[in-house]
Short mmCIF file of all heavy atoms in Angstrom, two decimals:
data_model
loop_
_atom_site.label_atom_id
_atom_site.label_comp_id
_atom_site.label_asym_id
_atom_site.label_seq_id
_atom_site.Cartn_x
_atom_site.Cartn_y
_atom_site.Cartn_z
N MET A 115 162.48 113.88 136.73
CA MET A 115 162.78 112.53 137.34
C MET A 115 163.33 112.82 138.72
O MET A 115 164.16 113.69 138.94
CB MET A 115 163.79 111.88 136.45
CG MET A 115 164.12 110.53 136.88
SD MET A 115 165.25 109.80 135.66
CE MET A 115 165.36 108.21 136.19
N SER A 116 162.89 111.98 139.63
CA SER A 116 163.41 112.10 141.00
C SER A 116 164.04 110.77 141.44
O SER A 116 163.80 109.73 140.81
CB SER A 116 162.26 112.45 141.94
OG SER A 116 161.39 111.37 142.06
N CYS A 117 164.80 110.80 142.52
CA CYS A 117 165.46 109.56 142.96
C CYS A 117 164.61 108.77 143.94
O CYS A 117 165.06 107.81 144.48
CB CYS A 117 166.81 109.95 143.57
SG CYS A 117 166.70 111.09 144.97
N GLU A 118 163.36 109.22 144.20
CA GLU A 118 162.49 108.52 145.15
C GLU A 118 162.18 107.11 144.76
O GLU A 118 162.02 106.28 145.62
CB GLU A 118 161.20 109.30 145.33
CG GLU A 118 161.44 110.63 146.02
CD GLU A 118 160.17 111.44 146.14
OE1 GLU A 118 159.09 110.89 145.79
OE2 GLU A 118 160.22 112.58 146.55
N HIS A 119 162.07 106.81 143.50
CA HIS A 119 161.71 105.49 142.99
C HIS A 119 162.83 104.68 142.43
O HIS A 119 162.61 103.58 141.99
CB HIS A 119 160.59 105.60 141.95
CG HIS A 119 159.39 106.38 142.42
ND1 HIS A 119 158.89 106.32 143.69
CD2 HIS A 119 158.59 107.25 141.77
CE1 HIS A 119 157.84 107.07 143.83
NE2 HIS A 119 157.63 107.68 142.68
N LEU A 120 164.06 105.21 142.48
CA LEU A 120 165.23 104.48 141.91
C LEU A 120 165.77 103.54 142.94
O LEU A 120 165.84 103.80 144.11
CB LEU A 120 166.28 105.48 141.51
CG LEU A 120 165.94 106.45 140.36
CD1 LEU A 120 167.12 107.38 140.13
CD2 LEU A 120 165.60 105.72 139.08
N ILE A 121 166.20 102.37 142.46
CA ILE A 121 166.78 101.34 143.27
C ILE A 121 168.27 101.21 142.84
O ILE A 121 168.58 101.09 141.69
CB ILE A 121 166.10 99.96 143.15
CG1 ILE A 121 164.58 100.13 143.51
CG2 ILE A 121 166.76 98.86 143.96
CD1 ILE A 121 164.32 100.50 144.94
N CYS A 122 169.13 101.21 143.80
CA CYS A 122 170.60 101.07 143.54
C CYS A 122 170.95 99.68 143.10
O CYS A 122 170.51 98.69 143.72
CB CYS A 122 171.35 101.46 144.77
SG CYS A 122 173.15 101.35 144.61
N ALA A 123 171.71 99.58 142.02
CA ALA A 123 172.19 98.32 141.52
C ALA A 123 173.23 97.71 142.44
O ALA A 123 173.43 96.46 142.44
CB ALA A 123 172.67 98.41 140.11
N ARG A 124 173.88 98.46 143.20
CA ARG A 124 175.04 98.03 144.06
C ARG A 124 174.51 97.43 145.41
O ARG A 124 174.95 96.35 145.75
CB ARG A 124 175.96 99.17 144.33
CG ARG A 124 177.15 98.74 145.12
CD ARG A 124 178.16 99.86 145.20
NE ARG A 124 179.32 99.40 145.93
CZ ARG A 124 180.26 100.23 146.36
NH1 ARG A 124 180.14 101.52 146.18
NH2 ARG A 124 181.30 99.79 147.02
N CYS A 125 173.61 98.20 146.08
CA CYS A 125 173.21 97.74 147.38
C CYS A 125 171.73 97.30 147.44
O CYS A 125 171.27 96.86 148.48
CB CYS A 125 173.47 98.84 148.43
SG CYS A 125 172.40 100.25 148.29
N SER A 126 171.00 97.45 146.35
CA SER A 126 169.58 97.06 146.23
C SER A 126 168.67 97.90 147.15
O SER A 126 167.56 97.51 147.43
CB SER A 126 169.36 95.62 146.47
OG SER A 126 170.06 94.82 145.53
N GLY A 127 169.17 99.04 147.61
CA GLY A 127 168.33 99.89 148.48
C GLY A 127 167.84 101.08 147.67
O GLY A 127 168.35 101.38 146.57
N PRO A 128 166.83 101.79 148.20
CA PRO A 128 166.38 103.01 147.55
C PRO A 128 167.51 104.08 147.50
O PRO A 128 168.20 104.30 148.49
CB PRO A 128 165.23 103.52 148.44
CG PRO A 128 164.86 102.32 149.26
CD PRO A 128 166.12 101.47 149.42
N VAL A 129 167.66 104.69 146.36
CA VAL A 129 168.72 105.66 146.16
C VAL A 129 168.50 106.87 147.08
O VAL A 129 169.48 107.49 147.59
CB VAL A 129 168.79 106.17 144.70
CG1 VAL A 129 169.68 107.37 144.48
CG2 VAL A 129 169.23 105.03 143.78
N VAL A 130 167.24 107.23 147.37
CA VAL A 130 166.94 108.33 148.25
C VAL A 130 167.55 108.17 149.61
O VAL A 130 167.84 109.16 150.31
CB VAL A 130 165.43 108.59 148.27
CG1 VAL A 130 164.66 107.55 149.08
CG2 VAL A 130 165.13 110.00 148.74
N GLU A 131 167.68 106.93 150.10
CA GLU A 131 168.27 106.68 151.43
C GLU A 131 169.76 106.85 151.47
O GLU A 131 170.32 107.08 152.54
CB GLU A 131 167.90 105.27 151.89
CG GLU A 131 166.36 105.15 152.18
CD GLU A 131 166.05 103.76 152.67
OE1 GLU A 131 166.93 102.89 152.85
OE2 GLU A 131 164.85 103.52 152.80
N GLY A 132 170.45 106.72 150.34
CA GLY A 132 171.89 106.89 150.29
C GLY A 132 172.67 105.91 151.08
O GLY A 132 173.60 106.30 151.88
N ARG A 133 172.39 104.68 151.05
CA ARG A 133 173.06 103.69 151.85
C ARG A 133 174.51 103.42 151.51
O ARG A 133 175.34 103.13 152.39
CB ARG A 133 172.30 102.31 151.74
CG ARG A 133 170.93 102.30 152.27
CD ARG A 133 170.28 100.93 152.11
NE ARG A 133 168.90 100.98 152.59
CZ ARG A 133 168.09 99.93 152.49
NH1 ARG A 133 168.53 98.81 151.96
NH2 ARG A 133 166.87 100.06 152.91
N CYS A 134 174.86 103.56 150.21
CA CYS A 134 176.28 103.28 149.80
C CYS A 134 176.78 104.49 149.05
O CYS A 134 176.03 105.39 148.74
CB CYS A 134 176.33 102.02 148.96
SG CYS A 134 175.57 102.17 147.34
N PRO A 135 178.09 104.53 148.79
CA PRO A 135 178.68 105.68 148.05
C PRO A 135 178.02 105.85 146.62
O PRO A 135 177.87 106.98 146.17
CB PRO A 135 180.16 105.33 147.89
CG PRO A 135 180.41 104.38 149.00
CD PRO A 135 179.12 103.64 149.22
N THR A 136 177.65 104.75 145.99
CA THR A 136 176.99 104.84 144.68
C THR A 136 175.62 105.57 144.81
O THR A 136 175.29 106.41 144.01
CB THR A 136 176.83 103.48 144.08
OG1 THR A 136 178.11 102.84 144.03
CG2 THR A 136 176.25 103.56 142.69
N CYS A 137 174.82 105.20 145.87
CA CYS A 137 173.56 105.86 146.08
C CYS A 137 173.76 107.34 146.33
O CYS A 137 173.05 108.15 145.80
CB CYS A 137 172.91 105.26 147.30
SG CYS A 137 172.31 103.57 147.13
N ARG A 138 174.68 107.69 147.16
CA ARG A 138 174.90 109.07 147.52
C ARG A 138 175.34 109.87 146.33
O ARG A 138 174.87 111.02 146.12
CB ARG A 138 175.94 109.19 148.68
CG ARG A 138 175.37 108.66 150.01
CD ARG A 138 176.30 108.97 151.14
NE ARG A 138 177.47 108.12 151.15
CZ ARG A 138 177.52 106.95 151.67
NH1 ARG A 138 176.47 106.39 152.28
NH2 ARG A 138 178.61 106.21 151.65
N THR A 139 176.20 109.27 145.50
CA THR A 139 176.63 109.93 144.25
C THR A 139 175.43 110.18 143.26
O THR A 139 175.26 111.28 142.74
CB THR A 139 177.73 109.17 143.58
OG1 THR A 139 178.82 109.00 144.45
CG2 THR A 139 178.21 109.87 142.30
N ALA A 140 174.63 109.18 143.11
CA ALA A 140 173.50 109.27 142.23
C ALA A 140 172.48 110.27 142.73
O ALA A 140 171.93 111.07 141.98
CB ALA A 140 172.83 107.94 142.06
N ARG A 141 172.24 110.27 144.05
CA ARG A 141 171.33 111.20 144.66
C ARG A 141 171.83 112.66 144.50
O ARG A 141 171.04 113.58 144.12
CB ARG A 141 171.09 110.88 146.13
CG ARG A 141 170.08 111.74 146.79
CD ARG A 141 169.93 111.37 148.18
NE ARG A 141 171.15 111.48 148.93
CZ ARG A 141 171.36 111.09 150.16
NH1 ARG A 141 170.39 110.48 150.84
NH2 ARG A 141 172.48 111.25 150.75
N ALA A 142 173.11 112.88 144.66
CA ALA A 142 173.68 114.20 144.53
C ALA A 142 173.58 114.64 143.07
O ALA A 142 173.31 115.82 142.79
CB ALA A 142 175.13 114.21 145.02
N GLU A 143 173.81 113.75 142.15
CA GLU A 143 173.70 114.08 140.73
C GLU A 143 172.33 114.43 140.31
O GLU A 143 172.09 115.38 139.53
CB GLU A 143 174.20 112.87 139.93
CG GLU A 143 174.33 113.14 138.45
CD GLU A 143 175.47 114.07 138.05
OE1 GLU A 143 176.42 114.18 138.76
OE2 GLU A 143 175.35 114.68 136.95
N MET A 144 171.36 113.72 140.83
CA MET A 144 169.93 114.00 140.52
C MET A 144 169.53 115.36 141.05
O MET A 144 168.85 116.13 140.34
CB MET A 144 169.04 112.97 141.11
CG MET A 144 169.20 111.56 140.52
SD MET A 144 168.65 111.40 138.82
CE MET A 144 166.91 111.70 139.05
N HIS A 145 169.96 115.71 142.23
CA HIS A 145 169.52 116.96 142.84
C HIS A 145 170.31 118.16 142.29
O HIS A 145 169.81 119.27 142.40
CB HIS A 145 169.64 116.85 144.36
CG HIS A 145 168.61 115.92 144.97
ND1 HIS A 145 167.32 116.34 145.23
CD2 HIS A 145 168.67 114.61 145.26
CE1 HIS A 145 166.67 115.35 145.71
NE2 HIS A 145 167.41 114.29 145.74
N ARG A 146 171.47 117.93 141.80
CA ARG A 146 172.30 119.05 141.27
C ARG A 146 171.73 119.61 139.99
O ARG A 146 171.77 120.79 139.72
CB ARG A 146 173.70 118.61 141.05
CG ARG A 146 174.59 119.75 140.59
CD ARG A 146 176.01 119.31 140.49
NE ARG A 146 176.10 117.90 140.15
CZ ARG A 146 177.23 117.21 140.10
NH1 ARG A 146 178.38 117.82 140.36
NH2 ARG A 146 177.29 115.95 139.73
N HIS A 147 171.11 118.74 139.15
CA HIS A 147 170.65 119.18 137.82
C HIS A 147 169.22 119.72 137.79
O HIS A 147 168.83 120.28 136.82
CB HIS A 147 170.77 118.01 136.83
CG HIS A 147 172.15 117.62 136.47
ND1 HIS A 147 173.12 118.54 136.21
CD2 HIS A 147 172.79 116.45 136.55
CE1 HIS A 147 174.28 117.93 135.98
NE2 HIS A 147 174.11 116.64 136.19
N GLY A 148 168.56 119.64 138.89
CA GLY A 148 167.19 120.18 138.90
C GLY A 148 167.20 121.68 139.12
O GLY A 148 168.18 122.27 139.58
N GLY A 149 166.09 122.33 138.84
CA GLY A 149 165.94 123.75 139.20
C GLY A 149 166.16 124.70 138.06
O GLY A 149 165.99 124.34 136.89
N ALA A 150 166.47 125.92 138.43
CA ALA A 150 166.54 127.00 137.44
C ALA A 150 167.80 126.88 136.57
O ALA A 150 168.67 126.14 136.85
CB ALA A 150 166.57 128.33 138.14
N SER A 151 167.81 127.67 135.54
CA SER A 151 168.92 127.71 134.61
C SER A 151 170.15 128.30 135.33
O SER A 151 170.06 129.13 136.24
CB SER A 151 168.63 128.58 133.37
OG SER A 151 167.53 128.00 132.71
N SER A 152 171.31 127.95 134.82
CA SER A 152 172.47 128.50 135.40
C SER A 152 172.73 129.98 135.05
O SER A 152 172.13 130.45 134.06
CB SER A 152 173.73 127.70 134.93
OG SER A 152 173.95 127.95 133.58
N PRO A 153 173.39 130.71 135.87
CA PRO A 153 173.57 132.12 135.60
C PRO A 153 174.27 132.38 134.32
O PRO A 153 174.04 133.43 133.64
CB PRO A 153 174.46 132.60 136.75
CG PRO A 153 174.19 131.62 137.86
CD PRO A 153 173.90 130.28 137.18
N THR A 154 175.13 131.50 133.83
CA THR A 154 175.83 131.70 132.59
C THR A 154 174.83 131.65 131.43
O THR A 154 174.96 132.49 130.50
CB THR A 154 176.89 130.59 132.38
OG1 THR A 154 177.71 130.52 133.58
CG2 THR A 154 177.65 130.79 131.15
N VAL A 155 173.91 130.76 131.46
CA VAL A 155 172.85 130.65 130.38
C VAL A 155 172.02 131.92 130.33
O VAL A 155 171.73 132.47 129.36
CB VAL A 155 172.03 129.41 130.55
CG1 VAL A 155 170.92 129.38 129.54
CG2 VAL A 155 172.89 128.16 130.37
N VAL A 156 171.62 132.38 131.57
CA VAL A 156 170.79 133.58 131.65
C VAL A 156 171.57 134.74 131.11
O VAL A 156 170.98 135.59 130.37
CB VAL A 156 170.31 133.82 133.10
CG1 VAL A 156 169.62 135.11 133.27
CG2 VAL A 156 169.43 132.63 133.58
N LEU A 157 172.78 134.90 131.48
CA LEU A 157 173.60 136.03 131.00
C LEU A 157 173.79 135.98 129.46
O LEU A 157 173.62 137.00 128.79
CB LEU A 157 175.00 135.99 131.69
CG LEU A 157 175.95 137.13 131.31
CD1 LEU A 157 175.34 138.48 131.69
CD2 LEU A 157 177.29 136.93 131.95
N ALA A 158 174.05 134.81 128.93
CA ALA A 158 174.17 134.67 127.45
C ALA A 158 172.86 135.03 126.73
O ALA A 158 172.92 135.71 125.69
CB ALA A 158 174.53 133.23 127.10
N VAL A 159 171.74 134.69 127.28
CA VAL A 159 170.47 135.08 126.67
C VAL A 159 170.27 136.60 126.70
O VAL A 159 169.79 137.17 125.72
CB VAL A 159 169.28 134.29 127.36
CG1 VAL A 159 167.94 134.86 126.92
CG2 VAL A 159 169.35 132.84 127.01
N LEU A 160 170.58 137.21 127.86
CA LEU A 160 170.48 138.65 127.99
C LEU A 160 171.37 139.38 127.01
O LEU A 160 170.95 140.39 126.36
CB LEU A 160 170.75 139.05 129.43
CG LEU A 160 169.67 138.71 130.41
CD1 LEU A 160 170.14 139.04 131.83
CD2 LEU A 160 168.36 139.36 130.10
N VAL A 161 172.58 138.93 126.87
CA VAL A 161 173.50 139.55 125.90
C VAL A 161 173.01 139.41 124.47
O VAL A 161 173.04 140.34 123.68
CB VAL A 161 174.94 138.92 126.04
CG1 VAL A 161 175.83 139.37 124.89
CG2 VAL A 161 175.53 139.32 127.37
N LEU A 162 172.52 138.21 124.14
CA LEU A 162 171.86 137.99 122.84
C LEU A 162 170.74 138.92 122.52
O LEU A 162 170.59 139.52 121.49
CB LEU A 162 171.46 136.50 122.66
CG LEU A 162 170.92 136.12 121.30
CD1 LEU A 162 171.93 136.26 120.21
CD2 LEU A 162 170.43 134.68 121.35
N LEU A 163 169.81 139.07 123.53
CA LEU A 163 168.67 139.96 123.39
C LEU A 163 169.14 141.40 123.24
O LEU A 163 168.54 142.16 122.43
CB LEU A 163 167.71 139.75 124.57
CG LEU A 163 166.93 138.53 124.59
CD1 LEU A 163 166.13 138.39 125.86
CD2 LEU A 163 166.02 138.40 123.39
N PHE A 164 170.16 141.80 124.00
CA PHE A 164 170.67 143.18 123.87
C PHE A 164 171.24 143.38 122.48
O PHE A 164 170.97 144.47 121.90
CB PHE A 164 171.74 143.38 124.94
CG PHE A 164 172.37 144.79 124.88
CD1 PHE A 164 171.65 145.88 125.29
CD2 PHE A 164 173.65 144.93 124.34
CE1 PHE A 164 172.25 147.12 125.24
CE2 PHE A 164 174.21 146.17 124.28
CZ PHE A 164 173.52 147.31 124.72
N CYS A 165 171.99 142.50 121.98
CA CYS A 165 172.55 142.61 120.59
C CYS A 165 171.44 142.67 119.56
O CYS A 165 171.52 143.46 118.59
CB CYS A 165 173.50 141.50 120.29
SG CYS A 165 175.01 141.55 121.26
N LEU A 166 170.42 141.87 119.75
CA LEU A 166 169.34 141.90 118.78
C LEU A 166 168.55 143.23 118.82
O LEU A 166 168.19 143.82 117.81
CB LEU A 166 168.33 140.78 119.16
CG LEU A 166 167.12 140.60 118.25
CD1 LEU A 166 167.57 140.35 116.81
CD2 LEU A 166 166.18 139.53 118.77
N ALA A 167 168.40 143.76 120.05
CA ALA A 167 167.74 145.07 120.21
C ALA A 167 168.54 146.19 119.51
O ALA A 167 168.01 147.06 118.89
CB ALA A 167 167.44 145.40 121.63
N MET A 168 169.82 146.11 119.69
CA MET A 168 170.72 147.12 119.06
C MET A 168 170.69 146.99 117.57
O MET A 168 170.61 148.06 116.83
CB MET A 168 172.18 146.97 119.58
CG MET A 168 172.31 147.28 121.08
SD MET A 168 171.81 148.91 121.50
CE MET A 168 173.12 149.84 120.80
N ALA A 169 170.60 145.79 117.03
CA ALA A 169 170.56 145.61 115.57
C ALA A 169 169.22 146.14 115.02
O ALA A 169 169.20 146.79 113.95
CB ALA A 169 170.77 144.19 115.19
N LEU A 170 168.14 145.84 115.73
CA LEU A 170 166.83 146.31 115.25
C LEU A 170 166.74 147.82 115.37
O LEU A 170 166.06 148.47 114.53
CB LEU A 170 165.74 145.68 116.10
CG LEU A 170 165.48 144.21 115.80
CD1 LEU A 170 164.46 143.65 116.81
CD2 LEU A 170 165.00 144.00 114.40
N GLN A 171 167.38 148.45 116.32
CA GLN A 171 167.39 149.88 116.48
C GLN A 171 168.07 150.55 115.30
O GLN A 171 167.66 151.64 114.82
CB GLN A 171 168.00 150.28 117.79
CG GLN A 171 167.91 151.76 118.08
CD GLN A 171 168.58 152.11 119.39
OE1 GLN A 171 169.27 151.30 120.00
NE2 GLN A 171 168.32 153.31 119.87
N ARG A 172 169.10 149.94 114.81
CA ARG A 172 169.84 150.55 113.65
C ARG A 172 169.03 150.42 112.38
O ARG A 172 169.18 151.28 111.51
CB ARG A 172 171.22 149.83 113.48
CG ARG A 172 172.20 150.18 114.50
CD ARG A 172 173.49 149.48 114.23
NE ARG A 172 174.45 149.84 115.21
CZ ARG A 172 175.62 150.45 114.95
NH1 ARG A 172 175.89 150.81 113.66
NH2 ARG A 172 176.48 150.71 115.90
N LEU A 173 168.18 149.44 112.28
CA LEU A 173 167.38 149.28 111.05
C LEU A 173 166.24 150.32 110.99
O LEU A 173 165.82 150.67 109.86
CB LEU A 173 166.78 147.87 111.01
CG LEU A 173 167.77 146.71 110.78
CD1 LEU A 173 167.03 145.38 110.82
CD2 LEU A 173 168.40 146.88 109.37
N TYR A 174 165.76 150.71 112.09
CA TYR A 174 164.61 151.63 112.09
C TYR A 174 165.01 152.95 112.55
O TYR A 174 165.37 153.65 113.13
CB TYR A 174 163.46 151.12 112.97
CG TYR A 174 162.96 149.81 112.41
CD1 TYR A 174 163.20 148.59 113.04
CD2 TYR A 174 162.12 149.79 111.23
CE1 TYR A 174 162.71 147.40 112.54
CE2 TYR A 174 161.63 148.62 110.75
CZ TYR A 174 161.91 147.43 111.42
OH TYR A 174 161.39 146.22 110.93
#
């Protein structure tokens, strides 16, 4: 979802233009959550895979 088609309920302007503080906050919120996974999630997955590999190594 992008903010290009959203209309602000406060100022009735496009959120992408950021006319009021509500628009700017919504635009920042939309852009902050997009993209790659956070480093914490990646690290947790790597630790989990390492533990799984160590457990499988002990079995065989």
Side-chain angles (χ1 to χ4, degrees):
M115 182 177 188
S116 69
C117 59
E118 292 177 7
H119 303 323
L120 296 178
I121 302 297
C122 179
R124 183 174 183 194
C125 69
S126 300
V129 170
V130 73
E131 292 179 5
R133 294 181 185 176
C134 70
T136 305
C137 292
R138 289 188 287 274
T139 303
R141 184 178 59 188
E143 185 72 22
M144 293 291 292
H145 290 277
R146 180 176 34 187
H147 291 311
S151 298
S152 69
T154 307
V155 173
V156 173
L157 182 62
V159 169
L160 289 175
V161 168
L162 181 64
L163 288 174
F164 179 74
C165 291
L166 181 62
M168 295 301 289
L170 288 174
Q171 185 179 13
R172 287 183 181 242
L173 292 175
Y174 296 107

